[in-house]
PDB file of all heavy atoms in Angstrom:
ATOM      1  N   GLN G 195       9.630   1.189 -12.570  1.00 84.00           N
ATOM      2  CA  GLN G 195       8.166   1.225 -12.578  1.00 84.00           C
ATOM      3  C   GLN G 195       7.670   2.242 -11.552  1.00 84.00           C
ATOM      4  O   GLN G 195       8.123   2.257 -10.405  1.00 84.00           O
ATOM      5  CB  GLN G 195       7.576  -0.160 -12.260  1.00 84.00           C
ATOM      6  CG  GLN G 195       7.767  -1.180 -13.355  1.00 84.00           C
ATOM      7  CD  GLN G 195       9.162  -1.784 -13.356  1.00 84.00           C
ATOM      8  OE1 GLN G 195       9.898  -1.647 -12.381  1.00 84.00           O
ATOM      9  NE2 GLN G 195       9.529  -2.453 -14.427  1.00 84.00           N
ATOM     10  N   GLU G 196       6.711   3.067 -11.937  1.00 87.00           N
ATOM     11  CA  GLU G 196       6.268   4.164 -11.076  1.00 87.00           C
ATOM     12  C   GLU G 196       5.390   3.676  -9.930  1.00 87.00           C
ATOM     13  O   GLU G 196       5.453   4.217  -8.822  1.00 87.00           O
ATOM     14  CB  GLU G 196       5.508   5.197 -11.917  1.00 87.00           C
ATOM     15  CG  GLU G 196       5.335   6.562 -11.246  1.00 87.00           C
ATOM     16  CD  GLU G 196       4.121   6.637 -10.330  1.00 87.00           C
ATOM     17  OE1 GLU G 196       3.187   5.847 -10.523  1.00 87.00           O
ATOM     18  OE2 GLU G 196       4.131   7.483  -9.412  1.00 87.00           O
ATOM     19  N   LEU G 197       4.551   2.674 -10.170  1.00 93.00           N
ATOM     20  CA  LEU G 197       3.603   2.200  -9.154  1.00 93.00           C
ATOM     21  C   LEU G 197       4.279   1.216  -8.216  1.00 93.00           C
ATOM     22  O   LEU G 197       4.874   0.223  -8.657  1.00 93.00           O
ATOM     23  CB  LEU G 197       2.401   1.528  -9.827  1.00 93.00           C
ATOM     24  CG  LEU G 197       1.358   0.915  -8.891  1.00 93.00           C
ATOM     25  CD1 LEU G 197       0.669   1.995  -8.065  1.00 93.00           C
ATOM     26  CD2 LEU G 197       0.334   0.100  -9.683  1.00 93.00           C
ATOM     27  N   MET G 198       4.184   1.473  -6.902  1.00 91.00           N
ATOM     28  CA  MET G 198       4.777   0.596  -5.899  1.00 91.00           C
ATOM     29  C   MET G 198       3.679  -0.142  -5.137  1.00 91.00           C
ATOM     30  O   MET G 198       2.722   0.476  -4.664  1.00 91.00           O
ATOM     31  CB  MET G 198       5.616   1.407  -4.904  1.00 91.00           C
ATOM     32  CG  MET G 198       6.795   2.125  -5.519  1.00 91.00           C
ATOM     33  SD  MET G 198       7.743   3.053  -4.276  1.00 91.00           S
ATOM     34  CE  MET G 198       8.411   1.711  -3.297  1.00 91.00           C
ATOM     35  N   LEU G 199       3.824  -1.454  -5.015  1.00 93.00           N
ATOM     36  CA  LEU G 199       2.937  -2.269  -4.200  1.00 93.00           C
ATOM     37  C   LEU G 199       3.718  -2.729  -2.968  1.00 93.00           C
ATOM     38  O   LEU G 199       4.743  -3.396  -3.095  1.00 93.00           O
ATOM     39  CB  LEU G 199       2.431  -3.494  -4.978  1.00 93.00           C
ATOM     40  CG  LEU G 199       1.714  -3.241  -6.305  1.00 93.00           C
ATOM     41  CD1 LEU G 199       1.148  -4.562  -6.841  1.00 93.00           C
ATOM     42  CD2 LEU G 199       0.609  -2.211  -6.164  1.00 93.00           C
ATOM     43  N   LEU G 200       3.240  -2.372  -1.790  1.00 91.00           N
ATOM     44  CA  LEU G 200       3.896  -2.723  -0.534  1.00 91.00           C
ATOM     45  C   LEU G 200       2.984  -3.671   0.232  1.00 91.00           C
ATOM     46  O   LEU G 200       1.894  -3.285   0.666  1.00 91.00           O
ATOM     47  CB  LEU G 200       4.179  -1.467   0.303  1.00 91.00           C
ATOM     48  CG  LEU G 200       4.896  -0.310  -0.411  1.00 91.00           C
ATOM     49  CD1 LEU G 200       5.145   0.843   0.562  1.00 91.00           C
ATOM     50  CD2 LEU G 200       6.198  -0.773  -1.032  1.00 91.00           C
ATOM     51  N   ASP G 201       3.434  -4.909   0.404  1.00 89.00           N
ATOM     52  CA  ASP G 201       2.605  -5.963   0.996  1.00 89.00           C
ATOM     53  C   ASP G 201       3.013  -6.198   2.452  1.00 89.00           C
ATOM     54  O   ASP G 201       3.924  -6.972   2.729  1.00 89.00           O
ATOM     55  CB  ASP G 201       2.761  -7.254   0.182  1.00 89.00           C
ATOM     56  CG  ASP G 201       1.769  -8.332   0.611  1.00 89.00           C
ATOM     57  OD1 ASP G 201       1.012  -8.116   1.575  1.00 89.00           O
ATOM     58  OD2 ASP G 201       1.753  -9.400  -0.034  1.00 89.00           O
ATOM     59  N   GLU G 202       2.371  -5.475   3.372  1.00 87.00           N
ATOM     60  CA  GLU G 202       2.659  -5.590   4.808  1.00 87.00           C
ATOM     61  C   GLU G 202       4.163  -5.569   5.087  1.00 87.00           C
ATOM     62  O   GLU G 202       4.702  -6.473   5.736  1.00 87.00           O
ATOM     63  CB  GLU G 202       2.047  -6.871   5.379  1.00 87.00           C
ATOM     64  CG  GLU G 202       0.534  -6.933   5.291  1.00 87.00           C
ATOM     65  CD  GLU G 202      -0.026  -8.110   6.058  1.00 87.00           C
ATOM     66  OE1 GLU G 202      -0.005  -8.073   7.300  1.00 87.00           O
ATOM     67  OE2 GLU G 202      -0.475  -9.072   5.404  1.00 87.00           O
ATOM     68  N   PRO G 203       4.868  -4.544   4.634  1.00 83.00           N
ATOM     69  CA  PRO G 203       6.333  -4.581   4.719  1.00 83.00           C
ATOM     70  C   PRO G 203       6.887  -4.508   6.138  1.00 83.00           C
ATOM     71  O   PRO G 203       8.048  -4.846   6.349  1.00 83.00           O
ATOM     72  CB  PRO G 203       6.747  -3.348   3.913  1.00 83.00           C
ATOM     73  CG  PRO G 203       5.577  -2.422   4.001  1.00 83.00           C
ATOM     74  CD  PRO G 203       4.381  -3.312   3.999  1.00 83.00           C
ATOM     75  N   PHE G 204       6.067  -4.067   7.107  1.00 81.00           N
ATOM     76  CA  PHE G 204       6.584  -3.915   8.468  1.00 81.00           C
ATOM     77  C   PHE G 204       6.004  -4.936   9.443  1.00 81.00           C
ATOM     78  O   PHE G 204       6.227  -4.837  10.650  1.00 81.00           O
ATOM     79  CB  PHE G 204       6.281  -2.501   8.991  1.00 81.00           C
ATOM     80  CG  PHE G 204       6.731  -1.396   8.085  1.00 81.00           C
ATOM     81  CD1 PHE G 204       5.987  -0.237   7.952  1.00 81.00           C
ATOM     82  CD2 PHE G 204       7.895  -1.517   7.342  1.00 81.00           C
ATOM     83  CE1 PHE G 204       6.401   0.788   7.114  1.00 81.00           C
ATOM     84  CE2 PHE G 204       8.319  -0.503   6.487  1.00 81.00           C
ATOM     85  CZ  PHE G 204       7.567   0.649   6.379  1.00 81.00           C
ATOM     86  N   SER G 205       5.265  -5.913   8.954  1.00 80.00           N
ATOM     87  CA  SER G 205       4.547  -6.831   9.841  1.00 80.00           C
ATOM     88  C   SER G 205       5.472  -7.702  10.681  1.00 80.00           C
ATOM     89  O   SER G 205       5.109  -8.123  11.778  1.00 80.00           O
ATOM     90  CB  SER G 205       3.610  -7.727   9.027  1.00 80.00           C
ATOM     91  OG  SER G 205       4.336  -8.499   8.088  1.00 80.00           O
ATOM     92  N   ALA G 206       6.677  -7.978  10.193  1.00 74.00           N
ATOM     93  CA  ALA G 206       7.587  -8.868  10.921  1.00 74.00           C
ATOM     94  C   ALA G 206       8.476  -8.120  11.919  1.00 74.00           C
ATOM     95  O   ALA G 206       9.262  -8.751  12.630  1.00 74.00           O
ATOM     96  CB  ALA G 206       8.469  -9.633   9.937  1.00 74.00           C
ATOM     97  N   LEU G 207       8.334  -6.789  11.999  1.00 79.00           N
ATOM     98  CA  LEU G 207       9.201  -5.996  12.862  1.00 79.00           C
ATOM     99  C   LEU G 207       8.584  -5.830  14.248  1.00 79.00           C
ATOM    100  O   LEU G 207       7.362  -5.853  14.412  1.00 79.00           O
ATOM    101  CB  LEU G 207       9.431  -4.614  12.239  1.00 79.00           C
ATOM    102  CG  LEU G 207      10.066  -4.596  10.837  1.00 79.00           C
ATOM    103  CD1 LEU G 207      10.153  -3.166  10.332  1.00 79.00           C
ATOM    104  CD2 LEU G 207      11.438  -5.252  10.848  1.00 79.00           C
ATOM    105  N   ASP G 208       9.445  -5.619  15.256  1.00 81.00           N
ATOM    106  CA  ASP G 208       8.938  -5.330  16.593  1.00 81.00           C
ATOM    107  C   ASP G 208       8.307  -3.943  16.597  1.00 81.00           C
ATOM    108  O   ASP G 208       8.502  -3.140  15.673  1.00 81.00           O
ATOM    109  CB  ASP G 208      10.059  -5.419  17.624  1.00 81.00           C
ATOM    110  CG  ASP G 208      11.148  -4.386  17.375  1.00 81.00           C
ATOM    111  OD1 ASP G 208      10.977  -3.225  17.799  1.00 81.00           O
ATOM    112  OD2 ASP G 208      12.166  -4.727  16.735  1.00 81.00           O
ATOM    113  N   ALA G 209       7.524  -3.634  17.645  1.00 83.00           N
ATOM    114  CA  ALA G 209       6.710  -2.423  17.675  1.00 83.00           C
ATOM    115  C   ALA G 209       7.551  -1.153  17.542  1.00 83.00           C
ATOM    116  O   ALA G 209       7.186  -0.224  16.805  1.00 83.00           O
ATOM    117  CB  ALA G 209       5.895  -2.376  18.967  1.00 83.00           C
TER     118      ALA G 209
END
Side-chain angles (χ1 to χ4, degrees):
Q195 290 80 15
E196 196 275 337
L197 177 65
M198 297 180 67
L199 304 186
L200 309 182
D201 189 356
E202 297 189 72
F204 308 144
S205 60
L207 301 177
D208 63 83

